[in-house]
Amino acid sequence: MEEFYRVRRLPPYVFEEVNRAKAKARNAGADIIDLGMGNPDLSTPPHVIEKLKETLGKPRTDRYSASRGIPGLRRAQAGYYGRRFGVKLNPDTQIIATLGSKEGFANVAQAITAPGDVVLVPNPSYPIHAFGFLMAGGTIRAVPSEPVPSFFPTLERAIVHSIPKPIAVVVCYPANPTAYVASLDFYKDLVAFAKKHNIFILSDLAYAEVYFDDNPPPSVLQVPGALDVTVEFTSLSKTYSMPGWRMGFAVGNERIIAALARVKSYLDYGAFTPIQVAASAALNGPDDCIGEMRETYKRRRDVLVESFGRAGWDVPSPPASMFAWSPIPDPFKSLGSVEFATLLVENAELAVSPGIGFGEYGEGYVRIALVENEQRIRQAARNVRRFLETGAEKLHNVVPLATRR
């Protein structure tokens, strides 16, 4: 039977080959070290869990909640932006709670996209940045991911050569998957560009607190006038190790926030109230847990870069995010990222994400997530060393994926 319209707009799930290889290996008893999905393994801070327990079963907490987020949660997010970025937000008109930043992005796409609208999306980038708009009936024009001066001439050409004119540009810094970090000067130029061309900025700031030097990543909303053209998405998933809680935010331009609120009012009643109360406690509580999270990922980053380097795979050291974005080792480049990632599962008991899953310009790379402890990362490096030492033989014996199905 013919696929439904929106399903036809989605390409085949490129991670599925690696997932099948993982399942097959595990069924055969292999101990797969999974550095593929960015699924935090750290514990949620105790004071957040205690607040959840304290709230459970209280009167009215089992009823439908607030789609926009309870007032205390929106005030807590406003407080966070004030402390962290020096940005003043109105909790009533400029903040809405989302079921994670991914849901927020997808529903903003539904709210602002007319069929055929063009959106400028970095490539490579996190899949929802593009596919949220494709599912909404929009059209994607790829632009570079790296926040360098040449970014803007490329945007200018995209504006000139796109019909109809783009409605928005997506940015994500610290970037998933590339770990690029933008400066405040870059954001100043971006806001000026958006105002010049009358387009919106949609900023994904999910990794704002995962950085490894003394220079915290800025928010585009720190730029004067950015609220006129910008909505920014954040999440508690990485900052407080709460991925399964599904709690995030969209903040910024009142027109877009109102549109998102209207769409969400038809789709959901908001997160479970005790989760929203606990999320408020996270944002209002002590931030030593954030520092501990950051130090844990930094240690893992250092172990990954050092141990994989000694194993013969030079992995660039990411300045932020919970990912390393690494070129495929030279002997295996011709295979492509899906084939190489599959070989790693089968021959090194290591799972990573193929770069092409983040866009065609991600080909030739893999994304490595810092979601296992240092001992497991060192074990992965030993497995990689053995694999690379016999790489020529493995390469010679590779059976193309197309013949395995």
Side-chain angles (χ1 to χ4, degrees):
M1 294 179 65
E2 185 179 4
E3 287 186 322
F4 297 110
Y5 166 72
R6 296 195 192 283
V7 176
R8 288 202 309 271
R9 304 207 78 197
L10 299 175
Y13 188 59
V14 300
F15 302 107
E16 189 56 36
E17 295 287 355
V18 180
N19 289 342
R20 276 199 290 264
K22 281 194 297 186
K24 181 179 179 181
R26 282 175 170 153
N27 288 339
D31 177 22
I32 300 298
I33 300 171
D34 196 345
L35 305 182
M37 186 177 179
N39 193 1
D41 65 315
L42 306 181
S43 299
T44 303
H47 69 278
V48 179
I49 295 174
E50 288 306 313
K51 178 56 71 172
L52 176 70
K53 292 178 179 177
E54 176 188 318
T55 311
L56 287 170
K58 284 192 172 182
R60 304 177 67 86
T61 58
D62 291 326
R63 305 180 72 177
Y64 291 130
S65 192
S67 179
R68 294 179 61 96
I70 60 176
L73 178 58
R74 286 183 276 118
R75 288 194 297 268
Q77 177 70 345
Y80 166 75
Y81 260 82
R83 295 188 307 272
R84 174 68 164 80
F85 303 112
V87 173
K88 185 176 181 181
L89 295 169
N90 184 330
D92 296 323
T93 60
Q94 295 176 321
I95 298 177
I96 187 169
T98 62
L99 305 179
S101 59
K102 187 174 183 179
E103 176 268 330
F105 234 101
N107 280 329
V108 156
Q110 295 290 333
I112 71 173
T113 309
D117 276 349
V118 177
V119 178
L120 307 179
V121 178
N123 189 333
S125 191
Y126 187 54
I128 196 63
H129 296 158
F131 296 127
F133 292 97
L134 288 174
M135 285 187 285
T139 301
I140 300 304
R141 189 178 182 106
V143 296
S145 297
E146 192 170 7
V148 293
S150 61
F151 181 86
F152 293 101
T154 306
L155 279 192
E156 195 80 45
R157 289 193 298 273
I159 293 282
V160 170
H161 295 291
S162 296
I163 299 175
K165 191 191 81 172
I167 63 168
V169 57
V170 175
V171 291
C172 174
Y173 305 110
N176 177 6
T178 60
Y180 293 139
V181 179
S183 68
L184 191 56
D185 285 340
F186 173 85
Y187 283 142
K188 289 176 181 177
D189 291 341
L190 183 64
V191 170
F193 181 92
K195 290 193 169 188
K196 173 185 175 183
H197 292 285
N198 193 31
I199 65 173
F200 289 112
I201 299 167
L202 304 175
S203 170
D204 187 342
L205 196 62
Y207 297 90
E209 300 302 341
V210 190
Y211 58 91
F212 306 129
D213 54 27
D214 296 324
N215 188 24
S219 161
V220 64
L221 294 179
Q222 291 175 242
V223 177
L227 282 166
D228 297 335
V229 293
T230 304
V231 163
E232 192 158 70
F233 300 84
T234 57
S235 167
L236 302 192
S237 295
K238 279 72 181 182
T239 303
Y240 296 98
S241 302
M242 297 168 63
W245 299 54
R246 307 314 302 137
M247 180 53 61
F249 300 91
V251 308
N253 179 267
E254 293 185 2
R255 180 185 172 200
I256 296 182
I257 294 298
L260 175 58
R262 188 167 179 180
V263 167
K264 280 178 62 64
S265 71
Y266 283 91
L267 297 177
D268 70 71
Y269 289 105
F272 186 37
T273 295
I275 288 179
Q276 296 196 45
V277 173
S280 304
L283 291 165
N284 292 329
D287 60 6
D288 55 333
C289 56
I290 301 176
E292 292 168 4
M293 170 275 296
R294 194 179 295 134
E295 285 302 313
T296 297
Y297 287 129
K298 183 178 181 180
R299 289 194 302 271
R300 293 178 179 183
R301 188 262 326 244
D302 293 344
V303 167
L304 175 76
V305 172
E306 181 268 336
S307 63
F308 275 50
R310 285 193 293 104
W313 185 357
D314 291 328
V315 175
S317 181
S321 84
M322 56 188 293
F323 305 110
W325 182 241
S326 181
I328 296 172
D330 287 338
F332 300 90
K333 282 188 181 298
S334 63
L335 294 179
S337 57
V338 174
E339 184 77 72
F340 176 68
T342 304
L343 277 183
L344 282 180
V345 172
E346 294 172 346
N347 298 284
E349 297 187 345
L350 170 64
V352 298
S353 293
I356 198 169
F358 304 96
E360 64 267 35
Y361 293 104
E363 187 56 282
Y365 292 80
V366 294
R367 192 192 71 176
I368 308 172
L370 304 172
V371 293
E372 290 272 13
N373 62 41
E374 295 152 55
Q375 179 181 347
R376 294 280 282 172
I377 292 172
R378 292 189 188 279
Q379 177 61 52
R382 290 191 290 271
N383 295 354
V384 164
R385 177 190 289 276
R386 287 193 294 271
F387 172 60
L388 294 180
E389 287 174 348
T390 59
E393 179 184 347
K394 297 296 183 186
L395 192 57
H396 179 73
N397 293 327
V398 164
V399 177
L401 283 175
T403 67
R404 302 184 195 181
R405 299 189 181 98

